[in-house]
């Protein structure tokens, strides 16, 4: 008798459904159209707040906002924002975007409250309509990921990126052609997800078998994929219960290179774009010291073929700034397959501690 499908892989494979991507686009555009009726748009900067996968969403959003809307943006851990950001640095010209898949993350709620106290308008990106985080927000951007109720987020992480592109367009002076371009990029990412999940899962399973005995995994990326790298490392930690870490490509090789060896893999997020040449430089280093590399790219060059130990050819040639929509999916799948091989439940918590029940100052 066939074993029932694990809900985690069900969430990941759901991204092969084009309708889910269209649903997310529709939700975002409907909400933003309503928000723009009477809302100010003369913001001077945008701040994303969140934790875990939501913070990595925000790190992607920073680059998307700066690229499309040409506004300075940053991603700040929600607790640090709520506890330490000075109110004098906020105000009506700073848009604060809180990201929480559940809409109930206490630190995000506190950050949004602090922003409103300082006079900053707030937007919430969430999968859950009517959640606590939506109260008091000027706009609520639903992601379409309400079906992803597992604590380890996969499909809801990817779908939460879609509203960020639409928000960037709403904050810009983009014309109809620019809007059509970026909506087409989202749809092509969805089509690429379907092609990858339907045709390349076996490649990821083979990678997981290759690195089943690894003790750590590194993931590096640049630009809009810094957040993707963080998300990929987090999923290896959460699912496979092993050490993983991400860092910006150049930063890793300024000291952390001493940690690589001939056993444990480094994943390079290397779409064709501004950092391609530098990624090739560091692939040369990895090749010279015989350290295993896995390259995710849509542009497999001769150099990559010769230097990389493993290559995952991404099935969509996206704008570099749109690649985060697609590049997290192989990393989610890798974490899942690695967990199965290591004999651990990819959804299980290592420690059953509910942090929201621990009051600051109490002794445990």
């Amino acid at each position: 008798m066939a074993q029932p499908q694990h809900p985690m892989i069900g969430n990941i494979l759901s991204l092969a459904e084009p309708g889910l991507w269209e649903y997310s686009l529709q939700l975002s555009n409907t909400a933003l159209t309503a928000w723009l009726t009477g809302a100010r748009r003369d913001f001077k900067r945008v701040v994303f707040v969140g934790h875990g996968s939501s913070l990595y969403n925000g790190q992607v959003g920073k680059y998307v906002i700066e690229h499309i809307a040409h506004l300075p943006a940053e991603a700040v851990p929600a607790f640090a924002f709520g506890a330490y950001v000075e109110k004098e640095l906020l105000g009506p010209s700073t848009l604060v975007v809180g990201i929480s898949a559940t809409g109930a993350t206490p630190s995000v709620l506190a950050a949004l409250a602090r922003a409103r106290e300082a006079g900053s308008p707030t937007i919430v990106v969430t999968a859950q309509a009517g959640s606590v985080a939506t109260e008091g927000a000027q706009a609520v951007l639903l992601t379409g990921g309400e079906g992803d109720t597992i604590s380890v987020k996969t499909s809801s992480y990817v779908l939460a990126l879609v509203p960020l592109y639409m928000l960037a367009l709403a904050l810009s002076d983009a014309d109809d052609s620019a809007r059509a371009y970026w909506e087409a990029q989202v749809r092509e990412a969805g089509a690429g997800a379907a092609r990858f999940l339907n045709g390349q899962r076996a490649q990821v399973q083979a990678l997981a078998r290759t690195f089943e005995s690894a003790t750590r995994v590194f993931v590096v990326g640049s630009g809009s994929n810094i957040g993707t790298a963080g998300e990929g490392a987090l999923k290896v930690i959460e699912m496979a219960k092993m050490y993983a870490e991400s860092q910006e490509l150049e930063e890793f090789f300024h000291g952390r290179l001493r940690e690589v060896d001939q056993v444990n893999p480094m994943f390079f997020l290397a779409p064709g774009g501004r950092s391609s040449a530098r990624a090739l430089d560091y692939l040369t280093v990895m090749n010279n010291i015989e350290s295993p590399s896995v390259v995710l790219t849509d542009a497999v060059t001769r150099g990559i073929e010769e230097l990389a130990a493993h290559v995952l050819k991404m099935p969509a040639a996206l704008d570099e700034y749109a690649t985060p929509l697609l590049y997290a999916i192989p990393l989610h799948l890798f974490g899942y397959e690695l967990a199965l091989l290591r004999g651990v439940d990819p959804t299980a918590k290592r420690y059953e501690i509910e942090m929201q029940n621990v009051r600051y100052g109490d002794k445990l």
Side-chain angles (χ1 to χ4, degrees):
M1 180 181 295
Q3 293 294 318
Q5 178 174 267
H6 194 288
M8 175 65 75
I9 192 62
N11 283 347
I12 295 171
L13 295 179
S14 71
L15 291 169
E17 302 170 12
L20 199 56
W21 297 77
E22 286 294 337
Y23 180 46
S24 189
L25 271 174
Q26 177 188 344
L27 288 171
S28 301
N29 286 331
T30 299
L32 287 167
T33 298
W35 175 59
L36 289 173
T37 304
R40 61 178 294 166
R41 289 201 308 173
D42 57 335
F43 301 110
K44 300 301 182 186
R45 67 174 180 143
V46 179
V47 180
F48 294 96
V49 294
H51 279 293
S53 292
S54 294
L55 180 61
Y56 299 132
N57 283 140
Q59 289 178 346
V60 174
K62 162 192 162 56
Y63 286 91
V64 171
I65 292 290
E66 291 183 344
H67 181 64
I68 297 176
H70 302 143
L71 284 172
E74 59 182 317
V76 180
F79 176 79
F81 182 96
Y84 294 104
V85 169
E86 302 297 338
K87 293 181 180 178
E88 291 78 7
L89 299 178
L90 302 173
S93 64
T94 299
L95 175 64
V96 178
V97 182
I99 306 176
S100 171
T102 64
T105 308
S107 57
V108 175
L109 301 180
L112 291 170
R114 186 171 183 85
R116 286 192 284 267
E117 289 170 4
S120 288
T122 60
I123 288 178
V124 170
V125 177
T126 183
Q128 303 301 327
S131 55
V132 180
T134 65
E135 299 173 4
Q138 282 197 355
V140 177
L141 304 185
L142 297 176
T143 65
E146 64 269 19
D148 185 356
T149 58
I150 298 172
S151 60
V152 180
K153 301 304 180 186
T154 52
S155 59
S156 61
Y157 168 83
V158 176
L159 293 175
L161 294 174
V162 175
L164 306 187
Y165 291 85
M166 299 305 104
L167 175 61
L169 288 167
L171 295 175
S172 73
D173 296 321
D175 57 19
D176 289 344
S177 63
R179 176 170 295 278
Y181 174 81
W182 286 105
E183 289 189 357
Q185 287 291 301
V186 172
R187 294 187 177 100
E188 178 56 24
R195 291 193 292 271
F196 187 89
L197 291 169
N198 291 327
Q200 293 179 256
R201 184 178 174 185
Q203 272 187 282
V204 179
Q205 291 172 327
L207 275 177
R209 287 192 295 271
T210 298
F211 298 114
E212 179 181 354
S213 299
T215 58
R216 59 184 180 270
V217 173
F218 292 113
V219 190
V220 295
S222 290
S224 57
N225 278 307
I226 294 174
T228 313
E231 169 66 7
L234 178 62
K235 289 303 169 280
V236 171
I237 295 168
E238 290 183 312
M239 294 191 210
K241 315 298 186 288
M242 63 180 290
Y243 178 79
E245 190 164 346
S246 71
Q247 203 160 22
E248 192 273 334
L249 170 71
E250 182 78 19
E251 183 65 16
F252 184 91
F253 285 88
H254 284 257
R256 299 298 297 276
L257 178 62
R258 293 167 177 81
E259 296 183 57
V260 304
D261 56 27
Q262 288 70 49
V263 176
N264 297 297
M266 175 176 289
F267 283 72
F268 284 78
L269 307 182
R274 300 184 184 186
S275 63
S276 296
R278 198 58 174 147
L280 202 61
D281 289 342
Y282 290 128
L283 272 176
T284 302
V285 173
M286 297 292 285
N287 179 265
N288 287 341
I289 60 179
E290 299 181 349
S291 185
S293 57
V294 182
V295 177
L296 279 64
T297 185
D298 60 303
V300 182
T301 65
R302 180 180 176 183
I304 289 174
E305 288 180 334
E306 293 179 350
L307 296 171
H310 307 273
V311 179
L312 280 177
K313 173 71 165 65
M314 302 306 292
L318 297 169
D319 186 298
E320 182 183 4
Y321 284 88
T323 56
L325 291 160
L326 181 57
Y327 279 49
I329 296 172
L331 299 172
H332 288 168
L333 195 55
F334 177 76
Y336 173 79
E337 300 292 354
L338 195 59
L340 296 188
L341 289 170
R342 290 166 64 87
V344 296
D345 181 352
T347 61
K349 296 179 180 179
R350 180 169 289 180
Y351 305 111
E352 292 295 331
I353 299 175
E354 297 296 335
M355 291 305 297
Q356 61 265 33
N357 295 329
V358 179
R359 291 176 298 170
Y360 299 113
D362 284 356
K363 294 181 179 180
L364 295 177

